[in-house]
Amino acid sequence: MLTSFLTAEWRKLAMVNYTVSPDLLQPFVPKHTELDLFENQCFVSLIGFLFDKVSLLGVPIPFHTTFEEVNLRFYVKHRTKDGQWKRGVTFVKEIVPKYAVSWVANVVYNEPYLTLPMRHEWKTTNEQLRVSYEWKQKQWNRLELLADATSIPLAEGSLEEFITEHYWGYTKYDNFTTYEYGVEHPRWEVYPVKTHIVDVNFEAVYGPNFGFLSHQSPHSALLAEGSAIVVKSAQKL
C-alpha cells in the first residue's frame, strides 16, 4: 500500500492551455507512458497556483508551508498489466521560490524543479476574481486571469474536465526509468474566465523548443478553486 508522501492544499489554479504538435513532446514522454489527447488534440498547460498547509510525511516544514508554484505540463497515460488506463501528467519544468523544495524534488526523483523569486495576488472586486502569478528569470513573467467570482461545477466531457481530472504523475527519471505517484483530491469547481494575460518569455524559461508559445494565443484558459490534496509515495514502473 502506498503511503502519503505529501499533504497540502492547492488553491486558485490558473491554467492556460496550448495546442502543440505531439512531436514537440515526444522527447519528454516518460517510458511506459504515451501522450493522452483530447479530441485528437495535444495540449500543454501553463499552470500557476498556491501551495498551502504543506506537510511532508505528516510533518509541517518550517518556512515551507506556503509558497507559489508555476509549471508547464502535458498529459500522458499508462496502461497497467490488467489493461486499465491511468491518466496522468508529466512536467517540462516546475518553478517554486523555495530552494529546499527544488533540492528534494531534483535529488530524490529527478523532477525538473527550478527555484526563482515568485509572487502572487488574488483580488475580488465587483463580483470578479483576479488571480495572478509572477516569477522572475532576469525579468518578471506573469500569468493572470480575470474570472467570475462564483465557481461552478465542471461540465462532463469538457476540456476543463480533461485538464483537471488527471490523478497520476509520471516522472522521467532517465530514458529507462519512470516513477509513478498518485494524487488524490475531490472534483474541483471552476470560475468562468473572462480574460487572460500571459506575459512569459517561454524560450528563456522553458528552452528554445517552447519559445513559439510566446507568440501563440492560448486555446483556452480556466481557473480552478482547488482543494486539499494528497500526494502518494512514488514507485518505479
Side-chain angles (χ1 to χ4, degrees):
M1 180 179 295
L2 296 179
T3 60
S4 297
F5 176 71
L6 179 146
T7 60
E9 292 185 3
W10 291 346
R11 292 295 178 183
K12 299 295 189 293
L13 294 95
M15 312 179 184
V16 287
N17 311 301
Y18 298 85
T19 55
V20 299
S21 167
D23 292 340
L24 172 69
L25 301 178
Q26 284 298 340
F28 300 92
V29 175
K31 189 175 179 63
H32 307 299
T33 72
E34 60 185 77
L35 291 171
D36 192 10
L37 307 182
F38 178 77
E39 296 181 347
N40 293 318
Q41 292 181 299
C42 183
F43 284 91
V44 295
S45 299
L46 179 68
I47 301 177
F49 63 99
L50 188 72
F51 251 114
D52 196 17
K53 301 177 183 176
V54 178
S55 291
L56 193 65
L57 298 175
V59 180
I61 307 301
F63 310 110
H64 290 78
T65 57
T66 302
F67 53 89
E68 301 90 350
E69 176 171 323
V70 170
N71 63 61
L72 186 67
R73 77 180 195 183
F74 62 95
Y75 304 91
V76 296
K77 55 187 179 180
H78 165 66
R79 185 187 286 273
T80 64
K81 293 180 180 179
D82 61 0
Q84 301 299 309
W85 286 106
K86 291 180 175 179
R87 299 175 62 206
V89 302
T90 191
F91 297 95
V92 176
K93 186 172 290 184
E94 300 166 82
I95 299 169
V96 293
K98 301 291 188 180
Y99 174 77
V101 175
S102 297
W103 185 87
V104 170
N106 289 334
V107 171
V108 177
Y109 294 120
N110 201 28
E111 282 275 14
Y113 268 78
L114 177 67
T115 306
L116 294 175
M118 301 185 73
R119 61 195 182 194
H120 77 281
E121 183 178 31
W122 303 343
K123 190 172 183 179
T124 302
T125 55
N126 300 323
E127 299 184 350
Q128 295 187 132
L129 173 61
R130 186 181 300 274
V131 173
S132 69
Y133 296 95
E134 297 181 83
W135 60 104
K136 187 177 184 181
Q137 188 171 40
K138 294 186 178 180
Q139 63 186 38
W140 283 99
N141 299 270
R142 178 164 61 120
L143 168 60
E144 180 178 304
L145 301 184
L146 179 66
D148 291 342
T150 302
S151 61
I152 60 174
L154 286 169
E156 294 283 347
S158 64
L159 175 62
E160 290 81 6
E161 182 184 58
F162 173 82
I163 295 296
T164 60
E165 295 283 287
H166 281 74
Y167 289 96
W168 296 90
Y170 294 95
T171 300
K172 184 178 181 179
Y173 188 82
D174 55 34
N175 288 334
F176 307 100
T177 307
T178 297
Y179 282 96
E180 174 193 81
Y181 55 91
V183 181
E184 298 178 353
H185 64 75
R187 188 177 174 90
W188 291 334
E189 292 203 342
V190 294
Y191 300 91
V193 173
K194 298 175 177 291
T195 61
H196 62 265
I197 297 173
V198 184
D199 184 10
V200 176
N201 186 334
F202 279 93
E203 181 169 353
V205 180
Y206 300 106
N209 289 343
F210 295 91
F212 72 96
L213 293 178
S214 292
H215 313 290
Q216 179 173 317
S217 296
H219 173 279
S220 55
L222 69 98
L223 178 60
E225 171 53 36
S227 65
I229 63 95
V230 176
V231 178
K232 296 295 187 177
S233 297
Q235 60 179 354
K236 187 165 66 173
L237 292 181

